[in-house]
């Protein structure tokens, strides 16, 4: 498929999916009365910020998607559908995106949403004065001059985004980024109201000050306790919204959240306390939910020159990788619908097909046998030179349990000793960055729903490459994928390269577990990033 | 007396300054920083953020600017972690919460603790005394992270009387469990201090004289023994009051109260320098003030003490 066709295909998909958005009660559902159309859920930690330019964590993004509306939304399957834009075109070279905005879109104060609002918002994200943690996101999408503006080399008004008329937004990229439309569903690329931001400064996100263009507006915000959002009568599709109020409670104790869910106070919990999923599933049935979560749990192997010399031998690394019995970790420790990982990219990533790698095809007996052979060839472990490795992880019960299990597996299969070192989070991050470890725990979560969000972290210049895997061949492969008509083969080759060189030991693919009240309809179970929109949901009457 | 109070308040200023400098030194010595995360920030992004919060300045300049902003503008700066909030805003929001349940816990624990301690002392070596001492020891080894789930189990899950958590507007039903959870260990400590000090007072000469005169026991306790027996309790109550009204991390997290107790731990874990400093100074100032108040009460209770 050429890029032009890809663009055209997207347009068609957008038009077809358009009617699916908004809360459409299924046949046979009896809606609960309006005073019961409330959706309450809990988060584990206080919201960091509601300013789209600054948002980086999932919980803040969730709130922003209710309050604001970007160019495109995700449908329940994770495909992009029209939202602030009704359609877009892509130039032949894949470098220019033209978004056609929805003319009836309004801010909550009744003023129209224009292309200028997007231009203002996007420049603000990269402006050094904004000091956004997520300023790099615009550069990731390849928006022209984004990285230079962040570095202070050129002025923010040089960003590759322009309003050619109030309803047309033209985005210029430096390099093709097939995933760019996906990125517009992220809060950082939402429009913000220029006048309000300029009038109130950092206070503009406070209730009473904030003006937004989404299906809901901010009504109350009590730090460390809750956020309340109510329907926005000026939202263009307000007529099709059913949920009246959204409450987001900060409940840090996971067990307390379950108690409050049982009490009927909240409809959805953030998580299920570790280890409780199987029993809750048995008790609650469909109300105990497991969905894929685009994060991968893995161990870094330290490949620095001054690292443990044994780890520089690929045979040792492969033996370590093979000797980890993932099924034990998933079934006996986590027990929440996770899947074993032999590769880096999460299996549920859009457009992704997990490539065949040798380790995945073997049984655990075969893996163990092969691991023993490799270790013997390398001359370590039983009958060879004694080897002691340290697993470094941040203090947490489940990381500890996994590390203990892995050390047992290595001891039994390979005859090597492992010491466990746990550190407080910040200390741990420093140690991992500086390479003060043999094996270091890590997890990576997708920034957008495409394989390169995972594979990029193993490139030589990636800040997240704490293994220090430096392979020009790998870097080149990902570079070609950027302009390829179909990047999948390059991505799969990259995975096979990782499987061959073993700079990391993938352990498992995350899942999300939570409790969801049976009266809530429209939760996007099959959306891998769990991008949910309360405007597409509704409460049915209790049976 | 007035000069004494003024002198104490003046001494408080260098004390707070030393507190600020020491806290800053400890903060900078701790590894990591407020903007570290699992996804490392590109250098240019990190530089912009550090410039925004003045972290690119030398330590001395940072401390100087911090103190200057407090003195000139009473500005404790923005939170590094919660980017929509200022430190003053977070404290203004959370302190009334902990002040509410902390004051109740203080009243409950003082009244109960003094009463139990006094009864135990008067009925020394009887079953009442053993019961009081026994339950005090029991209560003091029952930490609030054990007690809180038990309270929820009983009052929410079994009886269905109280909500499991939240604060909303601080109605009595959300305050009850935090107060019980916070007060219990304090009741135990106060009862033990009160008992031993009451025993000591009851054995002293002037009480024996009062008894010899034939005064009724209740009058002896109220008129003569209570005041001197309260002195050791009082010196415990000053810091205890500060401890209670600044909340508890366990209670704030477990009951989702939104109080400031959680910042003492979370801000350190998050390396949210501005919030660490804010709550440290708050506790410092309150401690100095209440210690002063205790000393003034001492002079009022015990005429032998003069400043």
């Amino acid at each position: 498929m050429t890029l032009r066709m890809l663009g055209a295909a997207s347009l068609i998909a957008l038009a077809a999916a358009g009617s699916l958005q908004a809360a459409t009660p299924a046949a046979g559902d009896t809606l609960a009365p309006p005073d019961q159309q409330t959706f309450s859920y809990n988060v584990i930690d206080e919201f960091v910020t509601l300013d789209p330019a600054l948002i980086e964590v999932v919980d803040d993004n969730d709130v922003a998607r209710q309050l604001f509306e970007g160019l495109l939304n995700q449908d329940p399957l994770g495909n992009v559908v029209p939202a602030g834009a009704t359609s877009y075109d892509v130039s032949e070279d894949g470098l220019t995106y033209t978004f056609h905005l929805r003319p009836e879109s309004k801010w909550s104060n009744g003023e129209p949403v224009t292309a200028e609002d997007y231009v203002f918002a996007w420049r603000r994200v990269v402006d050094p004065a904004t000091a956004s943690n997520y300023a790099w996101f615009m550069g990731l999408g390849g928006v022209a001059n984004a990285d230079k503006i962040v570095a202070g080399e050129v002025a923010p008004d040089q960003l590759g985004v322009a309003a050619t008329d109030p309803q047309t937004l033209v985005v210029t990229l430096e390099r093709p980024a097939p995933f760019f439309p996906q990125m517009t569903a992220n809060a950082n690329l939402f429009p913000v109201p220029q006048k309000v931001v300029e009038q109130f400064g950092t206070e503009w996100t406070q209730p009473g000050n904030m003006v937004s263009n989404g299906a809901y507006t901010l009504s109350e915000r009590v730090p460390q306790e809750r956020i309340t959002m109510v329907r926005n009568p000026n939202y263009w599709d307000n007529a099709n919204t059913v949920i009246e109020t959204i409450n987001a409670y900060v409940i840090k104790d996971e067990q307390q959240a379950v108690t409050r869910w049982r009490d009927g106070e909240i409809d959805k919990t953030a998580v299920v306390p570790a280890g409780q999923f199987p029993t809750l599933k048995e008790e609650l049935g469909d109300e105990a939910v497991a969905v894929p979560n685009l994060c991968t749990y893995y161990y870094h192997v330290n490949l620095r020159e001054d690292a443990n010399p044994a780890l520089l031998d690929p045979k040792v690394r492969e033996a370590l990788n093979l000797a980890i019995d993932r099924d034990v970790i998933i079934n006996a420790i986590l027990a929440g619908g996770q899947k074993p990982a032999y590769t880096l990219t999460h299996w549920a990533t859009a457009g992704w097909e997990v490539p065949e790698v040798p380790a995945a095809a073997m049984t655990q007996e075969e893996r163990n046998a092969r691991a023993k052979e490799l270790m013997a060839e390398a001359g370590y472990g039983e009958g060879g030179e004694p080897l002691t490795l340290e697993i470094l992880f941040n203090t947490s019960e489940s990381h500890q349990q996994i590390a203990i299990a892995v050390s047992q597996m290595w001891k039994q299969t390979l005859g090597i000793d492992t010491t466990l070192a746990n550190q407080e989070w910040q200390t741990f991050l420093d140690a991992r960055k500086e390479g003060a470890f043999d094996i270091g725990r890590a997890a990576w979560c997708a920034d957008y729903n495409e394989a390169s969000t995972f594979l990029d972290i193993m490139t030589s210049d990636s800040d997240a490459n704490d293994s220090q895997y430096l392979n020009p061949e790998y870097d080149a492969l990902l570079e070609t994928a950027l302009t390829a008509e179909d990047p999948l083969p390059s991505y799969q080759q990259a995975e096979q390269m990782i499987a061959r060189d073993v700079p990391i030991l993938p352990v498992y693919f995350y899942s999300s577990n939570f409790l969801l009240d049976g009266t809530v309809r429209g939760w996007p179970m099959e959306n891998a990033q769990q991008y949910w929109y309360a405007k597409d949901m509704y409460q049915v009457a209790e049976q | 007396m007035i000069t004494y109070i003024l002198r104490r308040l003046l001494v408080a200023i260098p004390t707070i300054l030393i507190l600020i400098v020491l806290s800053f030194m400890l903060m900078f010595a701790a590894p990591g920083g407020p903007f570290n995360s699992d996804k490392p920030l590109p250098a240019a992004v990190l530089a912009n953020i550090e410039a925004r919060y003045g972290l690119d300045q030398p330590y001395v300049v940072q401390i100087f600017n911090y103190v200057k902003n407090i003195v000139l503008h009473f500005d404790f700066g923005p939170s590094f972690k919660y980017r929509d909030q200022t430190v003053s805003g977070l404290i203004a929001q959370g302190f009334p919460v902990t002040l509410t349940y902390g004051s109740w816990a203080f009243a409950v624990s003082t009244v109960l603790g003094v009463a139990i301690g006094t009864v135990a002392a008067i009925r020394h070596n009887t079953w009442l005394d053993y019961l009081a001492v026994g339950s005090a020891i029991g209560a003091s080894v029952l930490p609030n992270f054990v007690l809180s789930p038990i309270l929820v189990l009983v009052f929410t899950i079994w009886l269905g009387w109280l909500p499991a958590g939240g604060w909303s507007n601080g109605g009595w039903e959300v305050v009850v469990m935090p107060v019980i959870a916070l007060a219990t260990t304090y009741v135990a400590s106060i009862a033990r201090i009160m008992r031993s000090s009451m025993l000591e007072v009851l054995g002293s000469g002037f009480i024996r004289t009062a008894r010899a005169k034939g005064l009724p026991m209740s009058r002896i306790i109220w008129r003569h023994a209570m005041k001197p027996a309260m002195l050791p309790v009082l010196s415990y109550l000053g810091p205890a009051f500060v401890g209670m009204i600044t909340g508890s991390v366990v209670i704030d997290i477990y009951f989702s109260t939104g109080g400031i107790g959680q910042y003492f731990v979370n801000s350190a874990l998050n390396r949210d320098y501005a919030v660490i400093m804010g709550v440290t100074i708050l506790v410092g100032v309150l401690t100095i003030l209440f210690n002063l108040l205790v000393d003034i009460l001492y002079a009022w209770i015990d005429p032998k003490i003069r400043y």
Side-chain angles (χ1 to χ4, degrees), chain B residues 5 15 51 76 86 102 110 113 135 138 143 167 169 171 182 200 233 241 252:
Chain B
I5 294 172
T15 312
F76 292 82
T86 61
T110 309
S135 38
W167 190 254
N169 298 309
L182 183 58
E200 200 184 316
V233 178
F241 183 67
D252 282 338

Side-chain angles (χ1 to χ4, degrees), chain B residues 116-124 129 194-196 198-199 202:
Chain B
I116 293 172
T118 307
V119 169
I122 297 170
R123 297 278 178 266
H124 187 41
D129 184 20
M194 188 67 198
R195 176 179 173 275
S196 55
M198 185 57 97
L199 278 177
L202 288 180

Side-chain angles (χ1 to χ4, degrees), chain B:
Chain B
M1 190 67 166
I2 301 289
T3 36
Y4 170 76
I5 294 172
L6 283 177
R7 202 170 64 228
R8 284 281 296 265
L9 289 177
L10 274 178
V11 173
I13 293 170
T15 312
I16 295 290
L17 279 177
I18 291 169
L19 177 72
I20 291 175
V21 173
L22 281 178
S23 309
F24 255 99
M25 283 163 61
L26 282 172
M27 265 175 2
F28 293 137
F35 308 112
N36 279 12
S37 75
D38 218 357
K39 298 190 173 179
L41 294 174
V45 174
L46 189 61
N48 290 338
I49 298 170
E50 290 190 334
R52 161 85 175 75
Y53 291 103
L55 295 177
D56 51 345
Q57 308 281 328
Y59 291 156
V60 181
V61 178
Q62 287 186 44
I63 298 180
F64 178 79
N65 285 338
Y66 183 75
V67 175
K68 191 182 80 181
N69 282 335
I70 294 175
V71 173
L72 295 184
H73 313 292
F74 204 66
D75 178 5
F76 292 82
S79 163
F80 292 5
K81 158 99 186 184
Y82 304 116
R83 296 206 46 181
D84 296 351
Q85 315 287 347
T86 61
V87 175
S88 314
L90 287 174
I91 290 177
Q93 184 72 52
F95 190 45
V97 171
T98 51
L99 186 65
T100 305
Y101 74 71
S103 302
W104 277 108
F106 178 77
V108 168
S109 56
T110 309
V111 170
L112 279 183
V114 168
I116 293 172
T118 307
V119 169
I122 297 170
R123 297 278 178 266
H124 187 41
N125 287 342
T126 64
W127 67 270
L128 254 179
D129 184 20
Y130 300 141
L131 179 71
V133 173
S135 38
I137 291 170
S140 60
V141 296
L142 191 67
N144 48 16
F145 59 82
V146 175
L147 185 56
S148 304
I150 295 176
L151 289 171
V152 169
L153 182 70
V154 174
F155 290 109
T156 307
I157 298 179
W158 288 352
L159 299 173
W161 290 351
L162 299 171
W167 190 254
S168 6
N169 298 309
W172 68 270
E173 63 281 357
V174 293
V175 180
V176 173
M177 287 197 282
V179 168
I180 299 176
L182 183 58
T184 305
T185 42
Y186 285 106
V187 172
S189 310
I190 294 171
R192 276 183 298 139
I193 298 170
M194 188 67 198
R195 176 179 173 275
S196 55
S197 105
M198 185 57 97
L199 278 177
E200 200 184 316
V201 172
L202 288 180
S204 60
F206 72 96
I207 298 290
R208 252 178 292 149
T209 311
R211 277 184 164 170
K213 281 204 307 188
L215 285 182
M217 199 56 190
S218 58
R219 197 176 156 87
I220 292 175
I221 299 289
W222 280 114
R223 283 292 296 277
H224 302 287
M226 204 48 135
K227 265 177 141 186
M230 279 296 286
L231 282 177
V233 178
L234 204 58
S235 44
Y236 175 79
L237 286 182
F241 183 67
V242 176
M244 283 190 252
I245 61 171
T246 49
S248 136
V249 59
V250 174
I251 288 169
D252 282 338
I253 286 179
Y254 194 76
F255 292 107
S256 314
T257 56
I260 57 165
Q262 56 198 317
Y263 294 129
F264 292 93
V265 175
N266 286 356
S267 60
L269 293 179
N270 293 335
R271 304 289 193 273
D272 193 339
Y273 297 152
V275 176
I276 298 176
M277 290 310 299
V279 292
T280 306
I281 293 174
L282 178 73
V283 171
V285 169
L286 287 173
T287 305
I288 289 172
L289 282 182
F290 282 93
N291 277 336
L292 176 60
L293 190 68
V294 166
D295 288 347
I296 295 169
L297 285 175
Y298 256 71
W300 174 68
I301 287 177
D302 187 348
K304 280 185 288 183
I305 299 173
R306 278 288 162 263
Y307 301 116

Side-chain angles (χ1 to χ4, degrees), chain A residues 198-274:
Chain A
E198 282 168 354
Q199 182 184 350
F200 295 106
T202 54
E203 301 272 291
W204 83 272
T205 54
Q206 298 300 328
N209 299 350
M210 184 190 266
V211 165
S212 60
N213 70 330
Y216 296 87
T217 57
L218 180 64
S219 110
E220 264 188 285
R221 180 170 190 194
V222 186
Q224 308 285 356
E225 211 223 328
R226 72 170 190 281
I227 281 179
T228 301
M229 293 166 267
V230 296
R231 248 169 101 156
N232 173 9
N234 280 314
Y235 179 60
W236 66 271
D237 201 20
N238 184 43
N240 290 315
T241 305
V242 177
I243 297 283
E244 299 278 336
T245 311
I246 311 169
N247 292 310
Y249 293 100
V250 181
I251 305 176
K252 299 188 179 187
D253 188 278
E254 296 171 358
Q255 195 59 49
Q256 273 286 71
V258 173
T259 304
R260 290 170 74 171
W261 181 86
R262 286 182 188 275
D263 241 16
E265 199 186 339
I266 55 175
D267 298 301
K268 179 189 170 287
T269 62
V271 293
V272 166

Side-chain angles (χ1 to χ4, degrees), chain A residues 143-208:
Chain A
V143 180
N145 287 331
D147 291 334
K148 284 185 193 150
I149 297 168
V150 172
E153 290 162 16
V154 295
D157 61 7
Q158 298 300 304
L159 187 68
V161 57
T164 51
D165 70 62
Q167 250 78 61
T168 310
L169 186 74
V170 179
V171 183
T172 315
L173 305 187
E174 281 167 353
R175 55 176 185 278
F179 46 86
F180 184 75
Q182 277 281 349
M183 293 177 69
T184 65
N186 188 293
N188 303 98
L189 272 61
F190 289 175
V192 297
Q194 179 165 5
K195 270 185 234 160
V196 179
V197 174
E198 282 168 354
Q199 182 184 350
F200 295 106
T202 54
E203 301 272 291
W204 83 272
T205 54
Q206 298 300 328

